[in-house]
Amino acid sequence: MNLQKQILDNKEEYYQLAIEYYYNIDEEHLKNIDKIVFKSIVILIDHEFVPTPCIEIKIELYHQNESDRISSYCLYIDKEKEFIYEFLIDK
């Protein structure tokens, strides 16, 4: 199956995978999260420090009563959905 079509047909599954990986690194921090926003899914062809080709899934995390994000999380996986790298930016 074409990778683009696979991602389009299963984008919710990809976002849920990113949320699961985020739970694994920071479950305590997640208790303060009231809103998760799905930002993007990108196929990376070339990257400075992440092995490519790969898929980048980005989510942003918010408190319910705040409009400013409190962190962004990026998960990098291969086409078989195996973990490559993750990146968390706290505000």
Side-chain angles (χ1 to χ4, degrees):
M1 178 185 275
N2 177 333
L3 184 57
Q4 251 182 314
K5 181 167 175 22
Q6 178 182 334
I7 293 169
L8 283 171
D9 291 346
N10 301 293
K11 70 180 181 178
E12 295 297 323
E13 180 182 334
Y14 282 88
Y15 283 121
Q16 289 305 317
L17 186 61
I19 291 169
E20 286 175 31
Y21 273 98
Y22 181 77
Y23 272 115
N24 289 336
I25 63 166
D26 204 348
E27 190 170 338
E28 185 64 33
H29 186 250
L30 199 60
K31 290 178 182 175
N32 297 324
I33 304 298
D34 293 315
K35 182 174 150 187
I36 297 174
V37 176
F38 300 155
K39 292 305 286 186
S40 63
I41 301 174
V42 178
I43 299 171
L44 293 177
I45 303 301
D46 185 33
H47 196 279
E48 188 173 329
F49 61 88
V50 176
T52 55
C54 69
I55 302 163
E56 176 193 71
I57 306 161
K58 183 177 182 181
I59 59 176
E60 290 187 344
L61 307 138
Y62 296 81
H63 287 296
Q64 186 175 18
N65 297 330
E66 296 181 23
S67 60
D68 293 337
R69 73 174 163 77
I70 56 172
S71 61
S72 292
Y73 175 75
C74 293
L75 173 67
Y76 298 88
I77 57 174
D78 64 16
K79 64 182 180 179
E80 285 82 33
K81 299 180 187 167
E82 296 292 323
F83 177 86
I84 294 176
Y85 191 77
E86 61 190 351
F87 193 67
L88 176 65
I89 302 170
D90 273 333
K91 185 175 177 187

